[in-house]
Amino acid sequence: MNFLRRRLSDSSFIANLPNGYMSDLQRPDPPPPPPPTAATKAPAGPTPAPSAPPAAKSPTASPAPERRPQPAQSTGSGFFSSITNVVKQTAASAGLVEQSPAAVSRKFKILLVIDEPQHEWAKLFRGKKVQGDYDVKVEQAEFSEINLVAHANGTCSVDMQVIRNGTKVVRSFKPDFVLVRQHAYSMTQNEDFRNIIIGLQYAGIPSINSLESIYNLCDKPWAFAQLISIYKKLGADKFPLVDQSFYSNYRDM
């Protein structure tokens, strides 16, 4: 069988097969022929006298059923059936014949987690369900590993390219929910990912924390300006703040 698998995986061997051979593999196996009807043998011995009534015959005179041996071709047919199955499986894996339709997958919701790879969120949501009977499928990546396209009708397609155990994984999906566990903005070079937050907000993807709060906190002075507004409404006694100053340019500090 291993020899057959190696031969069938060879593209030159497959190319030299007769025309229509692969299409014949997709046909269902014919049913086995019915066993032949056993002919009743006449009992040995002299013919009984015609004057003897039928009831006078001894029960031992009736012929015993003949014991038929198993057909000799059953072993061979089982062997060739195994070879045929190997040919079909190898041809299907090579894409030369159509495979049987796969079972319908279960319903699930996609959770996009933006976090570092050492935090394995898929383990936390394994076996969990939301909205009754929806499984949770976790797609985890960092900001630097994803790109997206958002549309005004509420659809959002995320392209993800990550390295897992030395293997590059590329996937595209439409998230149903987003969990952000990384800072979307930093003064470090190439650490500004506010465009990802804007794209998710553009498509209206729900998130924790809210995408609006995440975007506001990308600039700390902007967030502190909101606190100053609350400070002015409630007063220093109810809402105290640390005294700070904002400079538009570091040379003026």
Side-chain angles (χ1 to χ4, degrees):
M1 294 301 176
N2 292 333
F3 173 77
L4 287 174
R5 294 182 188 275
R6 290 195 300 270
R7 290 292 293 161
L8 291 172
S9 61
D10 188 357
S11 58
S12 61
F13 175 78
I14 297 296
N16 293 327
L17 290 175
N19 293 332
Y21 181 76
M22 287 304 172
S23 60
D24 291 340
L25 291 178
Q26 303 182 63
R27 298 177 182 175
D29 297 333
T37 306
T40 305
K41 294 184 179 180
T47 304
S51 58
K57 292 183 179 181
S58 173
T60 58
S62 61
E66 182 182 1
R67 179 177 299 176
R68 297 189 303 273
Q70 294 292 332
Q73 67 271 17
S74 60
T75 303
S77 62
F79 174 75
F80 288 108
S81 177
S82 301
I83 293 179
T84 304
N85 291 335
V86 172
V87 174
K88 289 182 178 180
Q89 294 173 5
T90 308
S93 62
L96 301 175
V97 297
E98 295 182 359
Q99 304 185 37
S100 58
V104 180
S105 59
R106 295 184 300 174
K107 297 185 297 183
F108 60 86
K109 296 288 187 180
I110 297 180
L111 169 63
L112 172 60
V113 179
I114 302 178
D115 197 2
E116 298 176 355
Q118 60 264 27
H119 305 143
E120 300 182 9
W121 288 88
K123 291 183 177 179
L124 298 178
F125 287 94
R126 186 172 299 161
K128 307 297 183 182
K129 293 183 179 295
V130 295
Q131 298 180 355
D133 57 349
Y134 285 88
D135 294 329
V136 180
K137 182 178 180 182
V138 177
E139 297 287 357
Q140 181 172 342
E142 298 185 68
F143 272 117
S144 59
E145 298 172 330
I146 60 177
N147 289 296
L148 61 83
V149 177
H151 304 279
N153 60 1
T155 59
C156 178
S157 178
V158 176
D159 296 327
M160 180 178 71
Q161 296 185 10
V162 299
I163 303 297
R164 293 292 182 265
N165 299 323
T167 304
K168 185 177 181 180
V169 179
V170 180
R171 277 200 292 271
S172 296
F173 53 90
K174 296 180 180 180
D176 297 293
F177 201 89
V178 182
L179 174 61
V180 181
R181 300 289 295 176
Q182 275 188 319
H183 292 295
Y185 175 75
S186 172
M187 296 183 66
T188 308
Q189 186 178 5
N190 298 326
E191 292 292 332
D192 186 358
F193 303 107
R194 287 176 291 184
N195 58 332
I196 302 296
I197 301 299
I198 294 174
L200 295 172
Q201 179 73 7
Y202 192 89
I205 306 298
S207 172
I208 291 182
N209 291 333
S210 68
L211 295 172
E212 183 179 5
S213 65
I214 293 174
Y215 186 85
N216 286 335
L217 288 172
C218 287
D219 286 318
K220 300 302 187 294
W222 179 269
F224 196 81
Q226 310 305 315
L227 299 179
I228 294 176
S229 178
I230 300 175
Y231 166 81
K232 293 179 178 179
K233 292 179 179 179
L234 301 180
D237 295 336
K238 295 183 178 180
F239 197 82
L241 285 179
V242 177
D243 189 20
Q244 294 185 0
S245 299
F246 174 78
Y247 293 88
S248 60
N249 194 309
Y250 71 93
R251 288 189 295 268
D252 297 333
M253 297 177 63

